[in-house]
Amino acid sequence: MATRDLAVGVIILIQTVVGILGNFCLLYHYLLLHFTGCRPRSTDLIVKNLIVANILVLLSVGIHNTMSSFGWYHILSDFGCKFFPYVRGVGRGVSIGTTCLLSVFQAITISPMNSRWAALKGKPPKCIVPSIVLCWVLQILVNIMYPLFMTITLNNKNVTNRKYFGRCSSIRHEKNRDPLYVALLSFPDALFLGLMFWASSSMVFHLYRHKQRVQHILRTNVSSSSPESTATKTILLLVSTFVYFNTLSSIFHIILGIFDYLSWYILNTSVIITLCFPILSPFLLMSRDPRISMVCFAWIRNVKSPHVMRNM
């Protein structure tokens, strides 16, 4: 096993462990909020769906590439080369769709009553579950190409009509078909990114207008402390982080789809970048949610109070 493969395997393993711990910690906090009787937000279901998508990406990419880097690729078999890329594609796609849904929902929520979106302000909560289901169905269907075309690379056979992705490979189609497959896989991403750009621009504009109006009445720091403003800034930060890493990841995915001969550096850099957003997003959400710290302090007080009473 080469030293560079071992180094990449360790990096991916650390990313996977940190990301899974972060997402499960965020999920635990949401369960704690539920059992302590905190009033749920409309966006909580969307965030929980994002957690599930993040875990799918982390497990599929982490397990698959860690085993391959450590030289355990013989355990993967043909099923592993079909299953893990498919789960990664579905999880990544659902993550994009969920982040888009979160940003659009918040943009409609904070829009003023005299805007063109005022008529939609009461409808987004009713559309959350159907939108999530539609996102899952869409990604399950779009990524079906992975189990159809992917297979394990056979070291003892030199097959010329295959494109190699490390230990796995896919059927090499005609040159004029590759852009078609890339477009099919990239169209949902481009659509969601366009909606996120619109929603983010709308949120920034409404926050600026709201700040200008409040400055004429109260001090500036009042507007920044409102729950709507805090939630909007959190989502903007989440979307900005997502767009940055997803743009890099999409560039590498386009390269993987178009070019036949892929270097070791491109393959592994693509994997490491793909794992960045599922790792950072739970910590970003936990650090920006004031309910989590309030519930934690309340839970600590409830745990300590029986001991205090017993000592008295």
Side-chain angles (χ1 to χ4, degrees), residues 11 93 120 159 167 233 292:
I11 292 173
L120 300 176
V159 184
R167 304 301 178 184
K233 291 176 181 177
I292 293 177

Side-chain angles (χ1 to χ4, degrees), residues 132-197:
I132 291 175
V133 173
L134 179 62
C135 182
W136 278 98
V137 172
L138 176 65
Q139 295 302 325
I140 288 172
L141 294 177
V142 168
N143 289 279
I144 199 68
M145 290 186 294
Y146 285 110
L148 290 179
F149 299 134
M150 294 293 289
T151 184
I152 193 169
T153 299
L154 301 177
N155 294 328
N156 58 345
K157 292 184 179 181
N158 185 15
V159 184
T160 58
N161 64 336
R162 304 200 69 84
K163 179 187 292 187
Y164 295 95
F165 301 93
R167 304 301 178 184
C168 299
S169 61
S170 68
I171 299 173
R172 184 181 297 165
H173 303 280
E174 298 177 7
K175 272 295 182 182
N176 56 354
R177 289 189 181 183
D178 283 343
L180 179 63
Y181 289 120
V182 172
L184 180 61
L185 290 173
S186 303
F187 175 74
D189 296 3
L191 176 63
F192 290 142
L193 285 173
L195 288 172
M196 275 190 275
F197 178 77

Side-chain angles (χ1 to χ4, degrees), residues 226-238:
S226 63
E228 294 82 4
S229 177
T230 302
T232 303
K233 291 176 181 177
T234 300
I235 293 173
L236 282 173
L237 183 59
L238 182 71

Side-chain angles (χ1 to χ4, degrees), residues 5 17 22 60 77 79 82 86 92 97 107 144 147 256 267 271 295:
D5 290 331
V17 172
S60 58
S77 73
F79 172 78
K82 296 178 182 292
Y86 178 66
R92 180 178 174 274
I144 199 68
L256 294 177
L267 289 171
V271 171
V295 170

